[in-house]
Amino acid sequence: MRIITVGRKQEKFVAEGIREYEKRLRKPFNIEWVVLADGDKAGEEKAILRSIKGGEFVILLNERGENLTSPEIAKLINFRLQQQSVVFVIGGSFGVGEGVKARADYVWSLSKLVFPHQLVRLVLVEQIYRAQTIANGQSYHHA
């Protein structure tokens, strides 16, 4: 599973939170990061599209996407991981270009609220961990 994100490296508090959840992740829920330099929207779009490999199931995080419960996203991720690699895309400050939206297999909204990209990274990793525990029947998630 990979996360493609635009922007600078994580702030210290974000990196610490991400590390904590990553320590808990096990295959196939483990994460590889692709952090791309921010720039103009067109340049970011090209870099994102170059980073996506053929055959990957692309989940774009976007506030205009579909809102899902944690069990619903766990089901989607787990189902897809059984068939192909999953890649999450977090765009830059000004969103993503139409090419990235067209390439996305699914557009997921963490919330109707807009969050800083650094925070989205942390929330995403926590939700991936939550999805792992749901898929494995562990008690972390309380429905």
Side-chain angles (χ1 to χ4, degrees):
M1 190 175 325
R2 294 184 317 124
I3 298 174
I4 300 171
T5 184
V6 175
R8 59 187 184 274
K9 299 241 186 228
Q10 283 94 316
E11 298 289 335
K12 184 179 178 183
F13 79 95
V14 173
E16 289 172 0
I18 287 172
R19 266 194 309 274
E20 181 58 38
Y21 287 110
E22 284 182 327
K23 284 191 297 190
R24 302 175 189 184
L25 292 171
R26 302 290 177 259
K27 287 185 179 191
F29 290 89
N30 55 321
I31 297 169
E32 172 192 338
W33 287 90
V34 178
V35 180
L36 304 171
D38 54 358
D40 64 68
K41 196 171 179 178
E44 290 175 1
E45 178 178 34
K46 287 178 187 173
I48 291 169
L49 291 172
R50 275 194 310 267
S51 298
I52 297 171
K53 300 173 184 173
E56 288 183 315
F57 186 82
V58 178
I59 300 175
L60 173 63
L61 278 81
N62 185 289
E63 71 270 10
R64 291 178 193 87
E66 233 180 292
N67 285 300
L68 297 175
T69 65
S70 293
E72 288 169 336
I73 195 65
K75 183 177 178 182
L76 174 67
I77 294 170
N78 194 47
F79 175 75
R80 287 296 164 188
L81 281 174
Q82 292 175 20
Q83 301 174 12
Q84 64 198 119
S85 295
V86 173
V87 62
F88 294 90
V89 175
I90 303 169
S93 300
F94 300 102
V96 295
E98 292 303 315
V100 175
K101 291 176 186 174
R103 175 58 184 88
D105 296 297
Y106 193 84
V107 182
W108 175 34
S109 173
L110 295 176
S111 170
K112 291 183 180 184
L113 300 172
V114 177
F115 296 110
H117 289 76
Q118 295 273 325
L119 190 53
V120 170
R121 295 175 189 182
L122 177 56
V123 172
L124 174 58
V125 175
E126 188 279 336
Q127 284 299 300
I128 292 170
Y129 172 68
R130 186 176 295 274
Q132 173 184 272
T133 64
I134 291 169
N136 293 335
Q138 296 169 305
S139 64
Y140 178 78
H141 177 76
H142 305 287

